[in-house]
Every structure is written in structure tokens, then in C-alpha cells.
Amino acid sequence: MHPDAKKTLITEKEINFRVKELGDLISRDYMDKDNLLVVGILKGAVIFMSDLVRQLRIPVELDFMAVSSYGKASESSGVVRILKDLEHNIQGKHVLIVEDIVDTGLTLKYLKENLETRGPASLKICTLLDKPARRKAKVEVDYNGFFIEDEFVVGYGLDYNERYRNEKDIFILKPEVYAKR
């Protein structure tokens, strides 16, 4: 276990199993649809998205967006900024947003509303982690990896101050690590 971990929340083995299950569900749901565009939200979702698309048994296109509502803080500011927009035109395409974690829901609500104005055939959300206790905005998530309690988690793409993304497990970060910064 990492020395900054309070405890391991989800192991690499559990993550791999669930990602395969999500890949099977998404493949089944989009089997008869054309033009699936998988949109990863940078930077946190990149590892999850990479593993997820390798589990899909359907043709996909990939694109990325970068949004910020945290900056270097440990809690969302609620103010969302698009730092990198899509390169694809999504009009008429089936779009699957892949996110690392849904917390307050404010970022995802803004993102979904923004993308809906661009005329996709459908727009769904897949998240690795869902933290419903912190929800401030109503957001419907179509594919959930894991529901978690209100803990500060890192690993498997999730970070604190750009650290811990490369950890294979998801763990609860010791409060003294983020409280001292």
C-alpha cells in the first residue's frame, strides 16, 4: 500500500473486472449503432478510458476534452472552464462521455448541456466512480463503475496536485497529505 494511503478502497483486480463488465454493457448497448464517439475528460479519465475502449467490441472514435473546476484545490470551485474542446463535430453521432469521478455533478451537468447543443444523436455518461453524497446538480449517469462514500480518493488516473495518477489501486488519501498544502 502507498505510504500516503489511509486505506485501499478498490484494488487493481476489482477495477479490471468492473471495466470489463462496463465494456460488455456498452458494446451490447451500441452494437447496432454507428458513429460512437468516446470522449475522455482529461486528465483523470485517461487511464480508465484507455482500459475501457480496449474492452469494447464495436468500432469507436476517440476524442478528448479538458475541463477544470478544481485547479489545485481538493474541492470543486463549481466554476467550470473548458481548457481543451473536441476536435470532432458530434452532430448526428452517438457520444459517450467517459469521466473518472462524478462528485458534485456541476462539471458534468455543464459539460452535458454544452454538448447537447451540438446535436449529437445520443449523449450518455460513463464514470468510474460515483460519489452521490456530494451531489449538488442532478446528473444521470448511464454506466457506473463503483459507488463510493465521500472520501478523497486517488489512483488509477485520479490525482491530488497531479500526483498518484499512476497508482494501480484506488485509495483513500490520508487527510494530512492534502490538508498541509
Side-chain angles (χ1 to χ4, degrees):
M1 188 163 66
H2 193 284
D4 291 344
K6 179 177 167 184
K7 85 174 202 186
T8 299
L9 188 64
I10 307 168
T11 66
E12 177 184 16
K13 185 176 179 180
E14 292 169 318
I15 294 167
N16 291 340
F17 183 79
R18 185 61 181 140
V19 170
K20 181 171 181 352
E21 286 182 328
L22 289 169
D24 289 344
L25 282 170
I26 293 165
S27 293
R28 185 198 67 214
D29 290 353
Y30 286 92
M31 191 63 70
D32 61 343
K33 300 200 173 29
D34 290 330
N35 302 322
L36 177 60
L37 177 66
V38 179
V39 176
I41 307 305
L42 297 173
K43 297 177 191 171
V46 75
I47 293 172
F48 171 47
M49 180 180 160
S50 296
D51 288 346
L52 179 66
V53 297
R54 287 190 299 244
Q55 296 298 323
L56 298 178
R57 297 179 314 277
I58 54 173
V60 297
E61 295 177 43
L62 306 179
D63 207 341
F64 295 92
M65 291 186 81
V67 296
S68 176
S69 66
Y70 284 83
K72 291 189 182 246
S74 61
E75 293 209 14
S76 174
S77 67
V79 177
V80 181
R81 296 181 309 133
I82 294 178
L83 306 175
K84 182 211 175 299
D85 207 342
L86 295 174
E87 294 177 14
H88 286 79
N89 176 352
I90 65 170
Q91 186 169 358
K93 292 191 178 192
H94 296 282
V95 177
L96 178 65
I97 299 170
V98 177
E99 182 63 288
D100 57 351
I101 188 167
V102 180
D103 193 346
T104 64
L106 295 169
T107 300
L108 209 46
K109 180 179 186 288
Y110 171 84
L111 198 54
K112 188 171 182 186
E113 289 171 355
N114 180 291
L115 294 179
E116 282 174 339
T117 68
R118 303 180 195 193
S122 68
L123 183 62
K124 291 190 175 184
I125 297 167
C126 177
T127 188
L128 176 63
L129 303 175
D130 194 336
K131 218 189 264 192
R134 300 229 342 127
R135 201 73 87 243
K136 292 181 181 177
K138 184 172 169 44
V139 176
E140 184 178 325
V141 177
D142 303 282
Y143 304 98
N144 273 300
F146 301 93
F147 289 95
I148 64 170
E149 297 298 318
D150 186 12
E151 298 279 3
F152 195 99
V153 293
V154 295
Y156 194 70
L158 292 102
D159 76 304
Y160 171 65
N161 213 10
E162 294 299 325
R163 295 181 60 211
Y164 312 106
R165 290 190 198 276
N166 62 319
E167 297 295 326
K168 293 178 183 180
D169 298 327
I170 295 171
F171 60 88
I172 298 170
L173 193 61
K174 290 178 182 174
E176 57 268 23
V177 173
Y178 57 89
K180 67 183 177 186
R181 296 187 194 231

